[in-house]
């Protein structure tokens, strides 16, 4: 029996502390148990994250004071996952423990919320008397108390807080009623069901299309194997992936196992959740950021006690305590939102594969445009592939056309926002009361230098990424190799002096639209207009019932939306996302175009997509145009291989931040110097340089980028330097393993 517990204390400390386990607690304390420990002069809550027989501090150890709750809060496999995350992503274990256990659960411990419930004494008798005349006894009560009785007569028992709210009073009149024996106040456990009162009609499984059946067979066969492994489900938009997930989950349930479904936050619309709930009813628990803390707490416990066996939610739902999961689904697996942008900077897709491995459970990664990492895992035989290349019910894929905006500018004598073709397309749809989606991919802050006349974009000669304009130095910088260029005052290609920074927002488009079609009802959807939580749903509802003709927006409208009456999708400045200093720019563009195009023609009527671009022949645009996923992958992988980018390497990004630029430079240089001495030869690295986002929120940012086939060859030396490295005051360091954003 272990005598020492390693405890992580619930205040932001990155360390484990050793405590002695008292004899009477030996049998209850396990990894994951929540405990109370003496800490300096206080008592604090903490978690046991490890057990040991010896401690380097044996003679001065304090004892654990007590245990909170009966079961360990963190089940064993999830604790293992936390350790793996801490190790792989170079994060403190405490951050990892925080991540695997929702704060709502951590704070309230294993207790359900206890509420005080007020009930009338001899309730039924009063109710009979109430209809005719006032009960004499009550007539003598003070007015407030009378009113409370009336409320209870009308609504029955309710919580003390609710009663006080309705009666607009404090505790005291209720307590007086209790003292006089008119009401009782008792503690009782209340479970908050976020879906209370929303019974859904149960759906039956569809008869599957041939491709769906084949995909399901592959997944089910994987589930039935001793070592289930990972399946990549590549299914075009509208191919019916969700139905395959649903039936695969049924297969897991049939074997007495549970399931976890991850969806990107943005597609976690009520409709998505409803599809799962209306198939499986109450055994679905939803872990969603817009639930209240109390609701999240209760949903978590419904899973923990086995009442719910299917968990669905965004990133962190991966850590739902589903016991014995048979299947983990990661929908839209290519989505960057699966990566957490604070420590631990984990990618839920990759951790899902790890959880599958630890729990011997099948993992399905689904997407119309799988990440190149996943695709190359299929090529190398690590993942199995299931493909669905047809839409359900023989609906055709939308017809896509690329309009060359350089020619358009020539024709009209100046750069155009809307091509003639797109304008006519919009007029046509408005005339026959069909709907239009317009998409403008206005990503990021960093302006690229682009010529509106000929489409020239300033690119680094050595790195085939576009250069970033650094405003402070008024220079073009390559973020990959550090190359510098002077900012030209006219276009180097066509000598056009009107050369400028590309930058066109949805707001300006909206204005132009108002002039082009004054009678159309236009709604704009971007992070500026969607600040309020319910506005997203409201606009989509209006669009669904036809109150809106044209929906204009950013990435927000690119995925998941299913509106049968949308027959035209227009993409403005399709190449905008190509000119970010990121080797994934092509992949992102291809994914976005494919996803947006997928919004068209989902009903009976065929869909059309018009893509406006200045570089219409770019491989990413051409591949999206011809629906050629594999072709795109092959081409992009070649370029990645040549330059040793992921998936041919892992990438670690160290970012130093601080308000004093001098301190940031000094710290990053010193760190690099020590790191370089112990880096294995196989690690590609470059000295610290300003990040593309050189200053953010008042802090200067400098980066060191490392690339290597094996992550540990980078993280081990990094950790080694970190343990003895003192960052100057005001400078922070973040380590991003498998970084998705290079900003
Ligand atoms: P995806 O997620 O691949 O874009 P969905 O799962 O949203 O596709 O499916 C598209 C539409 O087809 C949905 O309305 C769904 O209900 C319907 N559908 C899926 N499978 C079938 C099927 N086998 N028979 C009939 N309709 C189906
Ligand atoms: Zn370069």
């Amino acid at each position: 029996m272990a005598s020492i517990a390693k405890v992580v204390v619930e205040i932001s400390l990155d360390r484990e502390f050793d405590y002695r386990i008292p004899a009477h607690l030996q049998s209850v304390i396990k990894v994951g148990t929540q405990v109370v420990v003496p800490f300096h002069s206080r008592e604090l809550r903490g978690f046991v994250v490890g057990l040991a027989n010896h401690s380097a501090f044996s003679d001065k150890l304090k004892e654990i004071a007590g245990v909170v709750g009966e079961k360990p809060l963190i089940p064993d496999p999830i604790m293992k996952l936390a350790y793996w995350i801490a190790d792989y992503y170079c994060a403190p274990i405490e951050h990892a423990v925080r991540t695997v256990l929702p704060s709502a659960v951590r704070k309230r411990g294993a207790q359900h919320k206890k509420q005080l419930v007020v009930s009338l004494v001899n309730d039924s008798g009063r109710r009979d008397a109430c209809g005719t005349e006032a009960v004499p006894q009550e007539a003598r009560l003070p007015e407030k108390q009378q009113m409370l009785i009336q409320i209870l007569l009308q609504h029955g028992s309710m919580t003390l807080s609710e009663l006080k709210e309705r009666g607009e009073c404090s505790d005291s009149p209720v307590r007086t009623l209790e003292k006089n024996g008119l009401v009782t106040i008792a503690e009782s456990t209340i479970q908050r069901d976020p879906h209370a009162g929303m019974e859904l009609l149960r759906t039956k499984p569809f008869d599957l299309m041939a491709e769906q059946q084949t995909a399901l067979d592959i997944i089910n066969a994987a589930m039935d194997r001793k070592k289930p492994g990972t399946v990549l489900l590549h299914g075009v938009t509208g191919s019916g992936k969700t139905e395959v997930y649903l039936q695969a989950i049924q297969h897991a349930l049939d074997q007495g196992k549970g399931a976890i479904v991850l969806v990107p936050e943005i597609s976690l619309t009520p409709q998505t959740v409803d599809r799962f709930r209306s198939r499986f009813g109450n055994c679905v628990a939803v872990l969603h950021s817009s639930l209240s803390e109390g609701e999240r707490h209760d949903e978590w416990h419904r899973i923990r006690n086995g009442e719910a066996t299917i968990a669905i939610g965004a990133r962190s739902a991966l850590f739902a305590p589903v016991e014995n999961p048979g299947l983990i689904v990661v929908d839209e697996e290519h989505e960057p939102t699966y990566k957490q942008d604070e420590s631990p900077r984990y990618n839920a897709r990759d951790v899902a594969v790890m959880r599958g491995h630890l729990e011997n459970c099948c993992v399905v990664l689904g997407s119309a445009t799988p990440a190149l990492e996943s695709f190359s895992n299929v090529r190398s035989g690590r993942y199995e592939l299931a493909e669905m290349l047809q839409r359900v019910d023989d609906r055709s894929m939308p017809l896509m056309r690329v309009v060359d905006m350089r020619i358009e500018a020539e024709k009209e004598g100046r750069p155009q926002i809307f091509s003639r073709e797109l304008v006519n397309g919009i007029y046509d749809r408005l005339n026959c009361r069909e709907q239009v989606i317009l998409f403008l991919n206005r990503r990021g802050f960093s302006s690229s230098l682009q010529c509106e006349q000929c489409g020239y974009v300033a690119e680094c000669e050595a790195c085939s990424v576009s250069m970033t304009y650094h405003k402070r130095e008024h220079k073009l910088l390559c973020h990959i190799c550090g190359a510098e260029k002077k900012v030209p005052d006219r276009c180097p290609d066509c000598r056009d002096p009107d050369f400028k920074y590309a930058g066109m927002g949805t707001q300006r488009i909206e204005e132009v639209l108002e002039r082009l079609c004054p009678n159309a009802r236009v709604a704009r959807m971007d992070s500026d207009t969607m600040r309020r939580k319910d506005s997203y749903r409201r606009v989509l509802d209006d669009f669904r019932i036809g109150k809106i003709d044209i929906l204009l927006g950013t990435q927000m409208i690119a995925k998941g939306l299913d509106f049968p009456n949308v027959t035209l999708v227009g993409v403005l400045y399709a190449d905008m996302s190509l000119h970010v200093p990121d080797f994934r720019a092509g992949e992102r563009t291809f994914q976005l175009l494919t996803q947006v195009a997928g919004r068209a023609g989902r009903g009976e009527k065929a869909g059309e997509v018009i893509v406006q671009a200045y570089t219409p022949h770019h491989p990413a645009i051409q591949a999206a145009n011809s629906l050629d996923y594999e072709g795109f992958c092959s081409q992009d992988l070649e370029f990645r291989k040549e330059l040793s980018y992921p998936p041919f390497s892992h990438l670690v990004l160290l970012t130093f931040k601080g308000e004093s630029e001098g301190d940031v430079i000094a710290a990053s240089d010193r760190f690099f110097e020590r790191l370089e001495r112990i880096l294995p030869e196989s690690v590609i690295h470059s000295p610290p340089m300003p990040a593309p986002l050189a200053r953010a929120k008042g802090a200067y940012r400098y980066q060191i980028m490392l690339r290597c086939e094996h992550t540990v060859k980078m993280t081990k030396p990094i950790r080694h330097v970190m343990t003895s490295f003192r960052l100057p005051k005001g400078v922070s360091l973040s380590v991003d393993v498998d970084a998705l954003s290079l900003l």
Side-chain angles (χ1 to χ4, degrees), residues 460 463 478 481:
C460 175
C463 304
C478 171
C481 71

Side-chain angles (χ1 to χ4, degrees), residues 459-465 467 477-484 645:
E459 277 185 326
C460 175
E461 278 121 33
C463 304
S464 65
V465 289
M467 299 190 86
L477 259 183
C478 171
H479 157 57
I480 305 290
C481 71
E484 280 182 17
Y645 286 130

Side-chain angles (χ1 to χ4, degrees), residues 21-75:
I21 304 174
H24 70 282
L25 291 180
Q26 289 250 328
S27 57
V28 271
I29 287 190
K30 300 189 171 60
V31 170
T33 305
Q34 199 179 14
V35 290
V36 176
V37 293
F39 195 84
H40 297 295
S41 55
R42 296 185 281 168
E43 285 208 329
L44 291 179
R45 280 191 176 192
F47 292 97
V48 177
V49 294
L51 297 170
N53 289 315
H54 307 285
S55 164
F57 316 95
S58 336
D59 46 334
K60 29 185 171 166
L61 287 189
K62 292 183 186 167
E63 275 195 347
I64 288 179
V67 169
V68 186
E70 296 141 35
K71 280 200 210 173
L73 269 187
I74 307 180

Side-chain angles (χ1 to χ4, degrees), residues 213-231 233 243-261 280 310 324-329 356 359-365 384:
Q213 188 62 52
T214 310
L216 181 67
D217 290 345
I218 292 174
I219 295 166
N220 287 355
M223 255 190 275
D224 294 343
R225 266 201 299 276
K226 270 216 175 77
K227 290 254 162 271
T230 301
V231 178
L233 176 58
E243 185 59 32
V244 173
Y245 303 151
L246 288 166
Q247 299 198 20
I249 290 172
Q250 187 60 54
H251 187 71
L253 296 184
D254 291 344
Q255 300 176 333
K257 297 185 172 183
I260 297 170
V261 181
F280 300 113
I310 302 166
N324 195 10
L327 181 69
I328 302 175
V329 173
E359 301 218 50
N360 228 2
C361 119
C362 176
V363 179
V364 171
L365 310 178
E384 261 182 281

Side-chain angles (χ1 to χ4, degrees), residues 206-208 212 236-243 275 392 602:
F206 283 110
D207 291 330
L208 295 182
Q212 283 178 310
V236 298
T237 54
S239 59
K241 292 185 285 293
T242 310
E243 185 59 32
R275 281 173 82 176
V392 166
R602 294 179 73 94

